Amino acid sequence: MSSCWGSVCLLVFLGAAFVSGKPCLYIGETLKESHEYISNVLSLKGQDVGLDPLFSDVIRSNSSLQIKVNLINATLEVYSRIFSSILRQDNQGLLENLSETDRKKVTKKVEDFEKKIERLMNKLGHVNHDKENILSKLQKIQVDDPLVQKKALAEFKEVFQAANVIICPEC
């Protein structure tokens, strides 16, 4: 009986977290500051970045808990590829117009984001990619496109929050 009640509470909590446009739990101060810095340096609050968000389908999905886990895991895999692409570009692409100091700071922060994503992915396990339409949409995301990278960075806190809610609901 108590495990059923716990599951119901978890689902209600997850629903509230996914419906909320600005989840804030599980986002540490360091992550907030890093994201804010990157947001300012790369102009992530611009209109071109805010239109047509990449991951809104995942964050607001009304799917079962297992499907949400699969969606979040696939989304984290996309983030891993995006971060890897950003870091490989060095002085080209998204970071090319930054000063050397800003480029180094952004690179370090993206490396930290990448490590956080890897830890979350390890906790979530592997996903079967051919279960949902959203999964195929996620796989088609052009991770080398600077606008896509900006959009992904702009949405990072919300996706990170959604993944953490699934991994550690009692935290």
Side-chain angles (χ1 to χ4, degrees):
M1 182 74 148
S2 65
S3 66
C4 284
W5 177 247
S7 296
V8 168
C9 289
L10 172 63
L11 289 174
V12 168
F13 182 69
L14 284 173
F18 282 104
V19 169
S20 168
K22 296 181 182 176
C24 58
L25 296 172
Y26 304 103
I27 304 293
E29 216 38 58
T30 303
L31 183 87
K32 285 180 192 177
E33 290 169 4
S34 293
H35 190 265
E36 187 65 28
Y37 177 81
I38 290 173
S39 182
N40 290 334
V41 169
L42 295 175
S43 303
L44 301 182
K45 296 176 184 174
Q47 186 176 6
D48 60 333
V49 176
L51 293 176
D52 194 26
L54 297 173
F55 303 108
S56 62
D57 292 343
V58 174
I59 295 169
R60 290 171 181 79
S61 170
N62 289 326
S63 304
S64 70
L65 181 58
Q66 182 58 44
I67 291 173
K68 281 186 191 288
V69 169
N70 290 343
L71 293 174
I72 290 295
N73 200 15
T75 302
L76 295 178
E77 288 177 14
V78 171
Y79 267 103
S80 181
R81 292 186 357 241
I82 286 171
F83 293 159
S84 177
S85 175
I86 290 170
L87 295 172
R88 275 193 326 263
Q89 291 172 357
D90 198 27
N91 293 334
Q92 300 174 337
L94 185 62
L95 308 181
E96 70 183 313
N97 295 324
L98 299 181
S99 70
E100 186 65 26
T101 302
D102 283 339
R103 187 178 309 117
K104 285 181 180 178
K105 286 181 182 179
V106 169
T107 298
K108 173 67 174 121
K109 291 176 187 312
V110 170
E111 287 170 347
D112 291 344
F113 288 173
E114 187 175 45
K115 288 175 187 170
K116 289 179 183 299
I117 290 296
E118 287 173 13
R119 283 191 295 254
L120 288 174
M121 287 173 60
N122 287 334
K123 290 180 182 179
L124 281 171
H126 301 288
V127 66
N128 181 354
H129 289 289
D130 47 359
K131 287 194 173 185
E132 286 284 349
N133 291 336
I134 297 172
L135 293 176
S136 67
K137 179 182 172 187
L138 288 172
Q139 291 195 354
K140 292 177 185 174
I141 291 176
Q142 299 296 316
V143 298
D144 294 327
D145 181 338
L147 180 58
V148 167
Q149 293 170 351
K150 280 185 169 187
K151 287 182 177 196
L153 286 168
E155 296 175 53
F156 179 73
K157 286 192 312 186
E158 286 79 14
V159 173
F160 189 81
Q161 162 67 19
N164 268 301
V165 166
I166 289 171
I167 291 168
C168 188
E170 69 279 350
C171 295

